[in-house]
Amino acid sequence: MLTLLIVLGLQRFMGSGALWSTVQPADKDICEENWWTNLLYVNNLVNKDKMCFGHAWYLANDMQFYILSPLMLVPFVFNRYAGFISCSIFLLAQWITAGVLSTDNEWGSSTLGNGIIPKPGSLDYMGYYYIAPYCRIGPYVIGILAGYILAVSKGRVQMNKVTVVIGWTVSIASALAIVYGLRGDLGGGNPSSIGAAALYNAVARSAWGVCVCWVIIACSSGYGGKYLSSNKITSN
């Protein structure tokens, strides 16, 4: 909000000269019209095609997730199963929504040269998927579940060696697949099918969240090796 105040009210007084007007933000006029969407944290849902501070869409996501978080956290107070069910509902809703939107609009799995040309009349990938909270809440839910697990285990989850090995192997393999599995899409030479892209769009972010949370839980529990599980790392 301070940045909005500076751009809309003060920046015009911070410089001068023949070219001063050309170096001011290009979205100044848009911000004068739609500043209130940023103030209410709905700039990723309302007037998305005229977004003030385009890079601020994720602030809206974070605030919206924070507002919804009691629906996932409060059930844990009464019953852990109720908490897991509540979180599962949010996860399934996000996966289904993203998968259906991706399939129906024939989106690719990336915005960068994925080689798939959306069908005429399809919804905008950026506006209705990339910045949309209903397609991004998955990792947030995974984080809540990981936080609960760490809380009830007092920061140290007991696991046997087989579980640790499987956990690290699956986590590393999944993370590499999520990142490098898009090689054909990014190059455009071997793009994913519509179905494969829909599956990726539906679960990839949540899967990445699981990989990150595994690293956090494993290292916090003493299964990250001498360095990653040292007190200097896990206590910060």
Side-chain angles (χ1 to χ4, degrees), residues 68-101:
L68 290 173
S69 62
L71 297 178
M72 293 171 266
L73 291 171
V74 172
F76 280 112
V77 176
F78 301 99
N79 185 285
R80 64 178 179 177
Y81 297 109
F84 281 112
I85 290 173
S86 177
C87 289
S88 297
I89 291 173
F90 276 93
L91 277 176
L92 287 173
Q94 187 259 291
W95 294 344
I96 293 172
T97 301
V100 170
L101 284 173

Side-chain angles (χ1 to χ4, degrees), residues 1-5 7-8 27-64 67 131:
M1 295 306 105
L2 177 61
T3 305
L4 273 176
L5 174 64
V7 171
L8 297 179
D27 59 356
K28 179 177 179 295
D29 293 337
I30 294 177
C31 285
E32 289 180 346
E33 178 183 352
N34 293 309
W35 60 269
W36 60 273
T37 61
N38 292 66
L39 184 65
L40 298 178
Y41 292 100
V42 294
N43 49 305
N44 61 334
L45 294 172
V46 180
N47 297 337
K48 292 177 288 188
D49 57 331
K50 295 181 179 180
M51 189 184 301
C52 173
F53 293 152
H55 53 280
W57 59 266
Y58 200 82
L59 295 177
N61 273 271
D62 274 342
M63 178 58 73
Q64 290 155 8
I67 292 172
I131 68 173

